[in-house]
Amino acid sequence: MKTSMLRHRLAAAALAFAVSQPLPAETIVERAAPCLACHGENGQSQNAEIPSLGGQTAPYALIQLYLFREKQREVEVMNEMTKSFTDDDLRAFSDFIATLPPPKPPTEAGDPARMQQGAALITQFRCNGCHTLNLAGRDNIPRIADQREDYLVKTLREYKSNARHGYDGTMAEVLAEVSDAQIVALAYTIARFR
Amino acid sequence: MAPPAATPAPAPVAAAPAKPALPPGSPLIGRPEGNEAAAKLAPVAAPPLPAAADKLPTAMLKVPRGFHVEVYASGIANARSLRIGDKGTVFVGTRFGNKVTAVVKKDGKTELKTVASGLYRPNGLAIHDGTLYIAELSQISKIDNVENVLDNPPKPTVIYKDLPKDEAHGWKFIGIGPDNKLYIPVGQPGNNVLHDANHGQIRRINLDGTGRENVALGVRNSVGFDWNPVNHQLYFSDNGRDWMSEDVPQDELNRVTKVGEDFGAPYCYQGNLPDPEFGWGHSCSEFTPPILLTGPHSAGLGLRFYTGHMFPKKYHDAIFLARHGSWNRSKKFGGDILVVHLKKDGNVKSTEVFMSGFLQNNNYVGRPVDVEIMKDGSMLVSDDWNGAIYRITYGKTHTASR
């Protein structure tokens, strides 16, 4: 799907060039279509280990897009997608991401015992301090509520091992003494947050 | 990051089941429970993109009568530490980016050149005999004759790697002292933790990486220091712990009078405040008190003695301290340049806010990180929030530079 859209865009661009007409300015919605091909329509991802973008804070999205462009966060597809982005592109995409509706929790509520265990860990490690009580994030601190469970596990593990360098290093510190079992428990609850 | 095995027992919160453990590095350690105002506070991170030149807050920045502020350079993402080469090149370090930038002025034009890239938190810079020293999170490297190779710089040569890899307080300010040694701070690896023998200090090494020696102990997180041109002593800023309260501890300006002095962290802060967790069994009288308290959570970072001649005489040999500004305080404090006038004996005579305006309506429109004195006596100020460098001149000289 992504490839075909890219091909379509390239074809349109080539045609416009061929007839010597200025390419009409693409709207950000059109430009973001390839993003949503993987990250999900409306920003709720259906793909393994690919994050939902909906409701993400614009400053956090901007930081990540910047880190991708500068290859300070290494994910090949994203490094490739952002490599020719201008600063204004980064701003336009991050502002757009923030307008997408937040992801919805799964319809089934989750196992009450596991939900309670995760909630206790959220309080214990004070995730809900910086990420706010409803885990919606603020400013440079991301929304984590109802993010994909597999992406949360992956991300927390990467922060803990420092495989993913955070922007300011806070998450590496916070996770220093969070066990892998606790990471799994946290992700379960955060992904089903209501 | 887990400290090495020789570490003393971690924070006692780990032992109290009633109060669940926070990891040792967490900035949230000690955050009051159930306090809504405290829950609103979180570290403030500068945006990754530099502000456009016409969006800089220059017009809001206030300096004393007779002084002038202009933009020296913009478009340098997260501009932090500043150093100036003999030929006038301004080198700029960064904490969130991965490169060191050189600002070159030629025929009235400003050019930005990348002198090193692919680095990890290259915050600290020093320059000595034409060599640029770069401090990343956990290693020091150098580029010889740097001003001669700006267009085709070699990869920096690593000279020192014996440093912890902690993210917390791991980014560095460095400097070369009158003893021709390189001074390197290693902060405590967390907000308030008992640290091992490789943390909580300022150490010095020879320029080839040998001869490590601890110069100051009990240092929580120093990101700025300089040597008094009169008595050659080291003066350093140190940031106090978070979450104790809105108003204490205050940050410190310290003076090292003998090698190996202990300044108290984490047992005693601001010279007279035993830490509620670690202070038991200790007295503040065991430690060297600061010569000045520089305000709660104010984050005093880079500092320089003013050794130029452009500014009026009262500023000569005074300390200019960049206060980055607080995050762990409801009403933000700092975000300015403080001048510290010293007495002949090296103690503090008086202080005054020299440059302000970075803090507007409890929000930052910019945040000063470091200062540096140019050959003509004007002063540069870096602003990591906007990715810019300002130049402060005195008298009529500013018109010549326009």
Side-chain angles (χ1 to χ4, degrees):
Chain A
M1 183 177 179
K2 185 184 75 178
T3 324
S4 71
M5 276 192 183
L6 274 173
R7 206 174 289 139
H8 177 75
R9 286 179 55 200
L10 285 172
L15 182 67
F17 181 77
V19 296
S20 294
Q21 279 177 349
L23 182 65
E26 257 186 316
T27 66
I28 186 67
V29 178
E30 288 164 340
R31 293 187 69 194
C35 311
L36 302 186
C38 294
H39 288 281
E41 229 176 296
N42 269 332
Q44 179 143 17
S45 167
Q46 306 298 327
N47 291 322
E49 296 195 344
I50 292 177
S52 295
L53 300 181
Q56 196 47 274
T57 69
Y60 172 79
L62 178 69
I63 287 168
Q64 298 311 311
L65 289 170
Y66 174 86
L67 294 176
F68 283 132
R69 185 184 71 180
E70 303 297 316
K71 290 204 169 77
Q72 287 175 233
R73 180 177 170 193
E74 291 182 44
V75 177
E76 213 177 320
V77 180
M78 290 307 300
N79 299 138
E80 193 60 29
M81 294 286 269
T82 52
K83 73 176 178 190
S84 58
F85 275 17
T86 63
D87 288 357
D88 283 339
D89 288 335
L90 299 181
R91 290 190 189 97
F93 278 96
S94 50
D95 288 346
F96 171 73
I97 286 168
T99 67
L100 297 169
K104 293 187 179 67
T107 39
E108 79 282 14
D111 173 60
R114 291 191 71 183
M115 288 302 287
Q116 208 175 354
Q117 185 196 7
L121 291 169
I122 288 170
T123 306
Q124 176 179 340
F125 294 113
R126 306 191 205 211
C127 311
N128 53 7
C130 292
H131 291 278
T132 74
L133 286 175
N134 61 0
L135 306 184
R138 59 176 161 193
D139 302 325
N140 54 298
I141 295 155
R143 163 184 289 275
I144 52 175
D146 305 316
Q147 184 52 270
R148 284 185 64 90
E149 186 176 355
D150 55 4
Y151 180 75
L152 288 167
V153 170
K154 173 179 183 289
T155 303
L156 291 170
R157 282 177 178 158
E158 285 176 351
Y159 273 136
K160 185 175 165 65
S161 70
N162 222 10
R164 174 170 167 184
H165 294 314
Y167 185 55
D168 67 359
T170 302
M171 285 306 293
E173 299 168 36
V174 169
L175 284 162
E177 287 201 351
V178 182
S179 72
D180 196 66
Q182 287 171 326
I183 284 177
V184 171
L186 280 165
Y188 184 88
T189 301
I190 295 168
R192 291 166 177 79
F193 195 82
R194 280 167 204 271
Chain B
M1 304 261 79
T7 316
V13 285
K19 193 180 170 193
L22 275 172
S26 172
L28 297 180
I29 283 178
R31 201 192 64 171
E33 298 276 2
N35 180 326
E36 280 181 31
K40 287 190 181 118
L41 302 175
V44 184
L49 298 178
D54 61 355
K55 295 270 166 59
L56 295 173
T58 323
M60 292 184 221
L61 302 179
K62 290 201 173 74
V63 285
R65 182 183 286 273
F67 288 90
H68 308 273
V69 182
E70 63 185 12
V71 176
Y72 185 78
S74 61
I76 308 168
N78 197 236
R80 299 266 303 182
S81 301
L82 298 173
R83 293 290 180 188
I84 304 178
D86 291 338
K87 295 180 182 172
T89 311
V90 175
F91 295 95
V92 191
T94 168
R95 183 182 155 200
F96 294 150
N98 60 4
K99 49 190 131 180
V100 174
T101 305
V103 184
V104 181
K105 297 268 181 180
K106 206 180 166 190
D107 307 325
K109 280 187 188 154
T110 302
E111 214 181 323
L112 303 181
K113 300 179 181 198
T114 298
V115 286
S117 56
L119 306 174
Y120 192 57
R121 304 200 189 283
N123 187 77
L125 300 177
I127 196 148
H128 184 70
D129 287 342
T131 298
L132 177 72
Y133 295 83
I134 302 169
E136 295 176 70
L137 184 94
S138 61
Q139 65 178 19
I140 314 286
S141 58
K142 66 166 186 172
I143 301 176
D144 290 327
N145 299 312
V146 65
E147 288 185 283
N148 297 334
V149 295
L150 292 177
D151 290 318
N152 192 17
K155 200 171 157 2
T157 311
V158 175
I159 60 162
Y160 188 68
K161 292 177 80 158
D162 184 19
L163 288 163
K165 292 186 163 49
D166 310 274
E167 287 283 348
H169 305 153
W171 61 97
K172 304 194 182 323
F173 179 99
I174 54 169
I176 291 163
D179 52 5
N180 284 343
K181 287 173 190 273
L182 181 66
Y183 284 66
I184 309 165
V186 184
Q188 288 187 189
N191 173 33
N192 197 42
V193 287
L194 282 176
H195 54 264
D196 67 5
N198 285 315
H199 291 83
Q201 60 196 236
I202 298 174
R203 62 177 78 165
R204 65 181 172 193
I205 57 171
N206 298 318
L207 296 182
D208 62 1
T210 63
R212 173 193 161 182
E213 179 180 30
N214 289 340
V215 176
L217 302 171
V219 179
R220 180 178 171 278
N221 179 30
S222 176
V223 203
F225 46 79
D226 197 14
W227 288 264
N228 186 331
V230 178
N231 62 23
H232 307 296
Q233 288 171 341
L234 177 70
Y235 287 63
F236 70 91
S237 59
D238 196 11
N239 294 177
R241 62 162 291 189
D242 299 316
W243 298 121
M244 192 192 286
S245 79
E246 296 261 356
D247 295 331
V248 292
Q250 293 200 40
D251 289 350
E252 305 173 359
L253 179 67
N254 291 296
R255 170 168 66 150
V256 182
T257 54
K258 57 176 192 290
V259 167
E261 250 174 311
D262 194 321
F263 293 84
Y267 308 107
C268 172
Y269 289 105
Q270 66 167 46
N272 60 6
L273 187 63
D275 184 76
E277 286 169 65
F278 299 118
W280 299 97
H282 289 274
S283 160
C284 281
S285 62
E286 295 165 35
F287 309 106
T288 305
I291 59 165
L292 178 71
L293 300 182
T294 56
H297 309 291
S298 65
L301 304 182
L303 64 94
R304 294 295 188 283
F305 283 85
Y306 183 77
T307 50
H309 296 285
M310 180 190 282
F311 290 7
K313 198 154 187 296
K314 73 165 183 169
Y315 295 105
H316 293 191
D317 297 334
I319 296 171
F320 285 74
L321 170 68
R323 296 194 292 191
H324 199 220
S326 66
W327 64 264
N328 192 217
R329 195 169 197 278
S330 299
K331 189 171 189 299
K332 292 190 174 70
F333 183 86
D336 56 19
I337 306 289
L338 186 76
V339 178
V340 183
H341 300 284
L342 298 179
K343 294 188 275 200
K344 283 220 167 64
D345 65 2
N347 285 316
V348 175
K349 182 163 73 185
S350 62
T351 64
E352 60 177 299
V353 171
F354 177 74
M355 182 186 206
S356 60
F358 291 103
L359 185 54
Q360 302 276 342
N361 303 320
N362 212 29
N363 281 306
Y364 293 111
V365 296
R367 295 184 89 184
V369 177
D370 199 12
V371 297
E372 184 61 297
I373 320 296
M374 300 191 80
K375 241 185 217 169
D376 66 359
S378 59
M379 180 180 289
L380 299 181
V381 176
S382 63
D383 169 0
D384 66 348
W385 191 263
N386 292 301
I389 300 168
Y390 310 99
R391 177 170 173 250
I392 303 173
T393 55
Y394 180 76
K396 289 194 176 118
T397 45
H398 77 285
T399 46
S401 68
R402 293 244 164 113

